[in-house]
Amino acid sequence: MSQSGKPSPVRLELARRSDWVEPLENRVHLAYSTEVGLGFNAVATGLNGTGFTAVLPTTKGKGLVAGNFYMGNGQLRLTSTSGDLTNNNQDNALTIPLNGSADFQVETRLTSFPFTRNWQHAGLLVGTDENNYIKLVTGFIGAPVVEIAGEANSAFTIPAVKSISPAGFKWMDMRLTGNATTKTVTAEYRLNSDAANAWVTIGSTKATQVFSASAKGGLVSTNVGGGPVLASFNWFIERHTPSNTPPPPPPPPP
């Protein structure tokens, strides 16, 4: 919002996946060689058994508020706090490592829309720290919206925002796709659908700040000035294509 604001052993698979992840988006899945999927339907490793291994460090907030998230009925339940990335006091920005030096994709399914007051939102996060990130969130800012926002060296921008209608809301899938060659990130969402052609592109933005081998991907929620909300997530997926540096050529023969 404009004022909002290793890899764990959790289902790590290489090159292929044929269970609950594969039907989500075949044409995209095939472009990536490594995938991490957190299903929230069984206790895993990491924070509160969620599979997330850390929270994004904060200079002014509490960071980890363990009592504000848990798993239940196959969902990750995340209660927001008033901390926010733009104010450097974001709590519970749940993350796992992401290879941002290569093409990447992060995706989640939000199964609740509890946002009714300004600056309440939740969604995806990719970045290296609280001053260098991109997030794709849905929530309330005068009206229900989906928005891509971020910071580069503490400079905050909102590259794109789109009004939506949450009437009949069942779920919303959100996706951030990073192109390591052009250093751009594209934001998409789809509402109440599993269809490959249902994705709506919000926009693309240059985001050099997130393309790093030390990048992290995850989920974030806040309620700046609006009171806490309980957001529910069905799953979280990271995909990336590792960068392979070829070995140096052998020395010439004597």
Side-chain angles (χ1 to χ4, degrees):
M1 303 293 160
S2 59
Q3 293 185 14
S4 65
K6 238 118 187 171
S8 71
V10 181
R11 302 190 185 181
L12 178 61
E13 302 181 19
L14 297 178
R16 189 179 181 89
R17 194 171 168 86
S18 60
D19 54 359
W20 60 272
V21 172
E22 184 68 22
L24 297 177
E25 187 60 71
N26 293 336
R27 64 183 178 85
V28 172
H29 171 74
L30 296 176
Y32 301 90
S33 60
T34 303
E35 184 170 288
V36 179
L38 307 181
F40 309 136
N41 52 7
V43 176
T45 57
L47 302 175
N48 289 358
T50 62
F52 289 109
T53 56
V55 295
L56 200 68
T58 174
T59 53
K60 298 179 181 178
K62 296 178 181 178
L64 175 65
V65 184
N68 276 38
F69 62 98
Y70 62 94
M71 293 191 302
N73 296 324
Q75 309 287 310
L76 170 65
R77 316 287 190 180
L78 177 59
T79 299
S80 63
T81 70
S82 60
D84 182 68
L85 285 166
T86 57
N87 297 322
N88 289 347
N89 61 351
Q90 176 71 59
D91 298 321
N92 289 341
L94 304 173
T95 66
I96 54 176
L98 172 73
N99 183 10
S101 63
D103 292 345
F104 67 80
Q105 191 170 78
V106 294
E107 188 175 319
T108 195
R109 172 167 288 182
L110 179 72
T111 55
S112 64
F113 197 91
F115 319 108
T116 58
R117 300 174 64 184
N118 276 339
W119 325 127
Q120 295 174 334
H121 75 254
L124 289 169
L125 169 72
V126 173
T128 56
D129 57 50
E130 63 186 6
N131 298 315
N132 294 279
Y133 64 87
I134 287 289
K135 63 181 180 179
L136 172 60
V137 296
T138 188
F140 198 89
I141 176 172
V145 299
V146 182
E147 177 181 274
I148 179 173
E151 287 184 71
N153 296 321
S154 301
F156 180 72
T157 58
I158 303 174
V161 60
K162 182 177 179 62
S163 296
I164 61 168
S165 172
F169 185 96
K170 296 179 181 178
W171 69 79
M172 177 185 288
D173 295 341
M174 290 179 279
R175 185 165 73 184
L176 288 171
T177 302
N179 185 312
T181 301
T182 61
K183 299 295 189 294
T184 57
V185 175
T186 300
E188 302 168 279
Y189 79 96
R190 61 183 176 185
L191 191 60
N192 299 339
S193 177
D194 287 316
N197 62 0
W199 288 101
V200 177
T201 300
I202 301 173
S204 297
T205 184
K206 201 81 169 179
T208 305
Q209 72 274 20
V210 307
F211 288 91
S212 166
S214 62
K216 304 167 185 66
L219 300 175
V220 66
S221 182
T222 187
N223 56 262
V224 180
V229 290
L230 177 62
S232 297
F233 296 90
N234 194 202
W235 40 256
F236 172 81
I237 305 170
E238 279 189 354
R239 307 177 180 102
H240 69 272
T241 305
S243 298
N244 295 313
T245 303

